[in-house]
Amino acid sequence: MRRAGRRGRQAQEDCPMENGVGREPGVPEPPPTEGTSAPRPPRARPRLVFRTQLAHGSPTARIEGFTNVKELYGKIAEVFGISPTEVRGRGRRVTPIPGPSPAAVTGRWGQILFCTLNTHKVDMQKLLGGQIGLEDFIFAHVRGETKEVEVTKTEDALGLTITDNGAGYAFIKRIKEGSIINRLQTVCVGDSIEAINDHTIVGCRHYEVARMLRELPRAQPFTLRLVQPKKAFDMIGQRTRSSSKCPPESCVSSGKETLRLRAQGPAMLQEGPSTVEEEAARRVDDLLESYMGIRDCELAATMVEMAKCSPAAAALACALDSVLGEFAFPQEFVAEVWAAVCSPCSGQE
């Protein structure tokens, strides 16, 4: 009896333990008895695959495995075999590298100016921002012809609203009717601003470009080097928008699950913004245009989230300074943002 007991104990020590009971190696786990629940397998992460085309025309391709905008552009450039563009830094020219280079994926997205969702046209209401609906179709607008235009600043404001693609290229999102730029027929919505007076601004954020243009002296001509997106025969961009009050510029439909891209950290699946959140983001986006000459739906959505967590405008100012201090938001702007989000009635005209 003792030997059998020792052998039994040794068998239990050598075999895997399952709820304190030894099980022989190779023997399948018995089915759960009535009244007990089997352990649930870990939930499989969904495989997110998006369809994409080049806006001027191409076959449909599929992309996956990206977590931010730069990686998204890199995947699009890779799947379509777009040759890379070498960016040698601010203040220098952008030089295309001849021939394909599979290893230089980080430079390939330099050929992509911006992306739109569910339309191949230069539609600034359909820009891809920080969120993509799981059923959205991505159209990539690539570099077309380069053009230079001379501008004389006769007023403080040029009439431009600028945004950027999140990957180093700022472009024109809106041209104010009756403005200086509106009188220049060669400048169009969707044009990327590559240089100011031969000083390349590739790599600058949209607010930096807007600040440079505001600081240019009056009555002194300057040169803009622009890159227009490559166009198909039916792709004519919208030139002006008379009113700053426009429909919400959210990139996704409300109530649908979306993929949110982040500059840092992994992408996250989440529900689309509610109607109230979309309206608050639209008001903040209008304030960004009014104060800074930029529009950025993702920045506006981020500021809405921060304002909702701030008990007062002063707390919002501290939060913005710690996270977005490079923008140098004026105090009156921050106060209006907090009022627009937390006291929407006072933020409406």
Side-chain angles (χ1 to χ4, degrees), residues 64-280:
E64 60 180 309
F66 55 88
T67 61
N68 56 51
V69 173
K70 287 184 179 180
E71 290 182 5
L72 165 63
Y73 285 8
K75 292 289 184 180
I76 295 174
E78 185 176 16
V79 76
F80 288 115
I82 297 175
S83 60
T85 296
E86 182 183 7
V87 180
R88 302 185 187 277
R90 299 184 188 183
R92 302 180 184 178
R93 293 187 179 275
V94 179
T95 308
I97 301 175
S101 176
V105 175
T106 55
R108 292 184 177 188
W109 50 255
Q111 294 279 21
I112 301 175
L113 301 181
F114 55 87
C115 294
T116 50
L117 298 177
N118 307 315
T119 179
H120 69 286
K121 296 183 178 180
V122 182
D123 186 344
M124 295 292 106
Q125 302 302 314
K126 301 294 184 180
L127 282 177
L128 185 153
Q131 296 189 46
I132 308 174
L134 300 188
E135 297 180 357
D136 283 340
F137 198 109
I138 303 171
F139 288 90
H141 300 253
V142 301
R143 294 172 61 93
E145 296 182 2
T146 301
K147 53 191 176 184
E148 291 193 353
V149 58
E150 186 174 280
V151 185
T152 300
K153 193 175 182 181
T154 57
E155 304 171 18
D156 290 334
L158 293 171
L160 286 178
T161 297
I162 299 171
T163 190
D164 65 44
N165 64 3
Y169 282 81
F171 57 93
I172 299 171
K173 187 170 186 178
R174 184 173 300 171
I175 299 174
K176 185 178 180 180
E177 190 173 357
S179 65
I180 297 171
I181 296 297
N182 189 53
R183 294 192 287 269
L184 303 172
Q185 294 300 313
T186 54
V187 182
C188 301
V189 169
D191 287 349
S192 173
I193 305 175
E194 187 173 77
I196 302 173
N197 286 332
D198 287 330
H199 177 82
T200 297
I201 59 169
V202 174
C204 295
R205 294 299 311 276
H206 49 3
Y207 61 91
E208 294 177 299
V209 178
R211 186 181 303 142
M212 292 176 194
L213 293 174
R214 282 199 304 269
E215 292 174 352
L216 289 171
R218 293 181 63 170
Q220 183 175 333
F222 65 93
T223 302
L224 287 177
R225 186 162 78 240
L226 306 171
V227 179
Q228 67 183 31
K230 193 171 183 179
K231 293 180 171 63
F233 69 94
D234 62 339
M235 211 171 115
I236 301 175
Q238 184 174 357
R239 179 164 176 78
T240 63
R241 181 173 295 276
S242 58
S243 172
S244 64
K245 303 297 182 183
C246 58
E249 299 191 26
S250 173
C251 300
V252 294
S253 301
S254 178
K256 293 184 179 180
E257 197 171 25
T258 65
L259 180 69
R260 180 165 184 177
L261 306 176
R262 298 179 180 273
Q264 297 179 349
M268 296 181 62
L269 281 174
Q270 62 180 36
E271 290 298 318
S274 66
T275 303
V276 174
E277 291 170 334
E278 285 184 338
E279 177 61 20

